[in-house]
Amino acid sequence: MGGMSMDQDNEVFELHKKHTGVLSIEPEMQVSNKKELGEAYTPGVAGIAKDIEAHAELKDELTLSGKLVAVVTDGSAVLGLGNIGPAGGLPIVEGKSLLYKELSGVDALPMAVDQVETDEFVRTIKNISTSFAGIHLEDIAAPRCFEIEDKLSASLDIPVYHDDQEGTAIVVLAGLLNAAKVVGKDVKDLKIVMNGLGASGVATAKLLYDFGIHNLTLVDIHGVIRSDSSEYNSYQKELAQKIGLNVKGQSLDDVIDGQDVFVGLSDANVLSGEQVKRMADDPIIFALANPLPEIDPKVAADAGAKVIATGSSQYPNQVNNILAFPGLFRGLLKSGIKKVDFSLEIIVANALAGMITKPTAEKIIPGVFDSGVADTVTSAIINSTK
């Protein structure tokens, strides 16, 4: 087995090797005699199969397809690792599938799909969708992830959710709702600069704008995003046109003055303490790049940042999609809701923020393992239908 990394020697490697991954399939009923065999398989399932033939919707009541989520990746945009390919992406979606089961009881199946062109990818998922109650997309590069999600959502009658988009957007909004309270500012009046407009950045900016936060300056690797720039994809340009700010300057450094909030979904060490000092009073810093944030939290604090969040468990205020997706998909399955739209994302964000009754600079969002997180999200979605 050539080319193995040195990680094969560490405890994590050995743990995954021992179990051949982190998931297995467990039976819901016993098969230890002929009667049970006839109930679980032949001849009993023949009648089930004929009923489903006549009424296809019965499959969701009588087979695993009514409760199974596909967690699908092509490994083209894995956080902190980049394009590591479909096989490389499997440990990520397998881990997500385990979290679904552990945190919300949702059955999920990790799946890797080759990096084929967009329409073929969509056809592949559509062609196997009969087996599933929902599709969770993961680690698919922008801009094609937008098109894949749009086309699947339009063609399937089951929920389609891209965690890098919707999950990130929900948790960022939840954190900002409470961060605004801590600094005594109206959340909708916040001036926000967003650095990094890939899948998560675009989705987050869209949600913030739909929520009513309209003073958004968007910055990516080439600088401030403008609707007439050829350096950006159509989704980024459409977003810039929708927001419509006439921003002077081209770089992050040009636009940082007077900003209330920095939201980074980009790369390590792109924001300096000097830049934080030029922001508005009591600045809010969401430095969410992993494994290293856009600015070291201590540097940000020394420069006057009032509230600091990161994507890391090493610091307070970890903005992590785990807060959203397990309870969210359980809520979708229980409620029968087929689409994840902005209104639903806002409901979930408000529910997460509402778990912190007295926000402080050190606590603006629930912890990943705080009790009741998944239940709160699920209940919010179910209650939205009443």
Side-chain angles (χ1 to χ4, degrees), residues 73-75 84-92 112-114:
T73 190
D74 68 358
I84 59 175
L90 267 175
I92 315 297
V113 175
D114 285 351

Side-chain angles (χ1 to χ4, degrees), residues 105-228:
V106 169
D107 292 290
L109 183 67
M111 301 180 66
V113 175
D114 285 351
Q115 293 178 5
V116 292
E117 61 94 25
T118 296
D119 285 341
E120 186 178 351
F121 188 101
V122 170
R123 279 194 301 273
T124 299
I125 303 306
K126 188 176 178 182
N127 288 342
I128 61 171
S129 62
T130 301
S131 299
F132 300 101
I135 307 295
H136 169 134
L137 301 171
E138 185 77 25
D139 295 338
I140 299 170
R144 78 191 204 104
C145 63
F146 305 126
E147 192 176 355
I148 286 170
E149 185 180 26
D150 289 347
K151 289 185 173 182
L152 284 174
S153 295
S155 62
L156 299 181
D157 193 33
I158 57 176
V160 178
Y161 165 83
H162 185 195
D163 196 44
D164 305 285
Q165 291 188 62
E166 289 84 37
T168 304
I170 287 166
V171 184
V172 169
L173 176 57
L176 284 176
L177 290 170
N178 283 336
K181 291 178 182 177
V182 172
V183 299
K185 297 177 182 179
D186 186 317
V187 68
K188 292 185 179 180
D189 291 337
L190 292 174
K191 291 178 64 179
I192 299 177
V193 59
M194 288 195 60
N195 194 73
L197 266 289
S200 57
V202 167
T204 300
K206 281 182 175 179
L207 180 61
L208 296 183
Y209 188 87
D210 194 78
F211 178 76
I213 302 172
H214 290 172
N215 201 325
L216 295 167
T217 302
L218 311 177
V219 184
D220 205 85
I221 193 166
H222 300 296
V224 175
I225 293 177
R226 304 182 192 282
S227 59
D228 59 353

Side-chain angles (χ1 to χ4, degrees), residues 220-287:
D220 205 85
I221 193 166
H222 300 296
V224 175
I225 293 177
R226 304 182 192 282
S227 59
D228 59 353
S229 173
S230 61
E231 293 175 312
Y232 295 101
N233 65 57
S234 61
Y235 295 90
Q236 294 169 323
K237 289 193 284 188
E238 284 169 18
L239 182 57
Q241 186 170 19
K242 182 177 181 179
I243 292 170
L245 282 186
N246 267 319
V247 180
K248 291 181 180 178
Q250 182 57 24
S251 68
L252 174 64
D253 189 65
D254 292 336
V255 298
I256 196 70
D257 289 23
Q259 299 283 354
D260 296 298
V261 184
F262 169 90
V263 175
L265 292 159
S266 52
D267 208 350
N269 302 315
V270 297
L271 183 70
S272 70
E274 289 304 310
Q275 289 169 326
V276 173
K277 289 177 182 176
R278 288 160 45 200
M279 294 174 67
D281 292 341
D282 297 331
I284 297 166
I285 305 295
F286 278 32

Side-chain angles (χ1 to χ4, degrees), residues 17-48:
K17 184 178 179 182
K18 177 183 176 183
H19 297 286
T20 318
V22 298
L23 285 175
S24 65
I25 294 175
E26 298 291 338
E28 292 283 4
M29 58 189 291
Q30 250 186 336
V31 180
S32 56
N33 55 51
K34 286 185 177 181
K35 179 178 182 293
E36 290 169 351
L37 177 62
E39 291 169 341
Y41 184 48
T42 186
V45 291
I48 301 289

